[in-house]
Amino acid sequence: MILTVTLNAALDLTYAVPALVPQTSHSVREVAERPGGKGVNVARVLSALGHDTVVTGFAGGATGAVLRELLGALPQRPTDALVTVAGNTRRTVAVVDRSGGDTTQLNEPGPHIGAGEWAAFLGTYQELLPGSEAVALCGSLPPGIHVGAYAELIRLARTAGVPVLLDTAGEPLRRGIAARPDLVKPNADELAQLTGAREPLRATRDARRRGAHSVVASLGADGLLAVTPEGVWRAAPPSPVRGNPTGAGDSAVAGLLSALAEGLDWPDRLARAVALSTATVLAPAAGEFDRAAYEDLLARVTVEQQGPAA
């Protein structure tokens, strides 16, 4: 079983408009609603790939009820182990401009989590860890959660002997990476904020020196850069694609995590991650992935070793 943690789950809404023009009114022609938050997105992709997956984190209020209903209605659904809270689960809104393919994202902060709710989550998390092949800690922290929460969860996973992947940003990433996760997956902006370096290889090496066993940096359309004990690798899609990038990074995490659970080597892990993230950009709804595109891309992703073991 693979465990994903989404402390700030969301109900994701995608609005498609012919063209997004500031300071004007728009007619929304297409609306999609789905359970979201980074770890939920990761779990949905893992389930679609055939992995037994459990989602934990928080859900509350009317929005949380809708999220759980949608999660339970998925044809290949992860197990719901979300902890109920008093506050209302947040919503995120992606506005897709059909004329240019760009997406504008609006994210609510999330419910305030009390001390008792955090304690209840920790109990659930520690019950789930012993049966987990791997755990992914994903996304932002809701109000009320201390900034070192991910570092605490990483230490608990390491004590239980469970490999842990961290995908967050800002101070939670800085604190979390010092707790020595097995893998972190920042994007270029998150890496620059963490290390102060804009050159990808330098920034990725610096991030690894801060405590992570391996670092896989997302470089957007240019693919992934991995600095690992086994080598330095670069993976890229066969050609640039246009579409909705919402959830592409989460699909990459799912690819890395599923390949880790299956015991694949780094080139195969990175190829799967790039193929899944690219297929997500090509999908019509945010956070989905185009299975036919994924299967086609998987054989055409370029993976090159660019250096010896780090």
Side-chain angles (χ1 to χ4, degrees):
M1 177 265 285
I2 298 177
L3 176 63
T4 73
V5 174
T6 313
L7 297 179
N8 210 4
L11 180 63
D12 286 349
L13 303 173
T14 302
Y15 295 155
V17 297
L20 183 61
V21 182
Q23 302 177 12
T24 64
S25 178
H26 297 77
S27 295
V28 179
R29 298 184 179 179
E30 301 171 46
V31 180
E33 187 178 60
R34 66 180 185 87
K38 293 180 74 63
V40 173
N41 295 341
V42 171
R44 293 172 65 235
V45 175
L46 286 169
S47 295
L49 291 172
H51 285 272
D52 179 18
T53 311
V54 176
V55 173
T56 191
F58 300 108
T63 309
V66 174
L67 182 153
R68 299 180 93 152
E69 181 181 350
L70 292 172
L71 193 64
L74 294 171
Q76 296 149 318
R77 58 183 178 272
T79 299
D80 178 354
L82 294 164
V83 174
T84 301
V85 295
N88 204 38
T89 294
R90 68 188 178 126
R91 295 162 298 180
T92 68
V93 179
V95 183
V96 180
D97 182 335
R98 291 297 191 202
S99 65
D102 294 327
T103 300
T104 299
Q105 190 81 18
L106 305 172
N107 298 328
E108 295 179 358
H112 186 277
I113 305 300
E117 293 167 335
W118 175 246
F121 164 76
L122 284 178
T124 297
Y125 180 70
Q126 291 180 85
E127 288 176 3
L128 291 168
L129 277 176
S132 301
E133 300 170 82
V135 59
L137 308 174
C138 303
S140 62
L141 300 179
I145 298 295
H146 65 96
V147 74
Y150 282 135
E152 181 178 356
L153 299 183
I154 289 165
R155 286 192 289 269
L156 289 171
R158 288 177 58 83
T159 298
V162 180
V164 58
L165 181 153
L166 177 64
D167 183 13
T168 189
E171 192 61 22
L173 173 60
R174 189 180 306 276
R175 301 279 187 96
I177 203 170
R180 306 187 65 82
D182 294 88
L183 176 61
V184 295
K185 195 214 70 63
N187 62 32
D189 289 339
E190 292 160 355
L191 263 181
Q193 185 181 12
L194 175 70
T195 67
R198 280 284 175 185
E199 197 283 314
L201 182 56
R202 178 182 176 185
T204 306
R205 288 186 184 277
D206 188 346
R208 184 170 181 269
R209 284 193 292 268
R210 291 168 185 259
H213 186 70
S214 298
V215 179
V216 176
S218 176
L219 306 179
D222 293 329
L224 299 174
L225 173 65
V227 175
T228 80
E230 289 76 27
V232 177
W233 309 87
R234 187 71 175 264
S239 60
V241 298
R242 297 193 67 178
N244 184 354
T246 304
D250 304 330
S251 291
V253 169
L256 292 168
L257 211 57
S258 63
L260 171 65
E262 294 170 27
L264 301 184
D265 60 16
W266 273 106
D268 288 336
R269 292 185 204 180
L270 295 170
R272 179 178 292 183
V274 169
L276 278 171
S277 61
T278 305
T280 298
V281 174
L282 293 170
E288 307 290 343
F289 74 93
D290 185 311
R291 183 171 292 275
Y294 163 64
E295 292 173 354
D296 173 66
L297 286 161
L298 188 58
R300 300 194 294 121
V301 171
T302 300
V303 183
E304 297 178 348
Q305 186 166 6
Q306 298 194 327

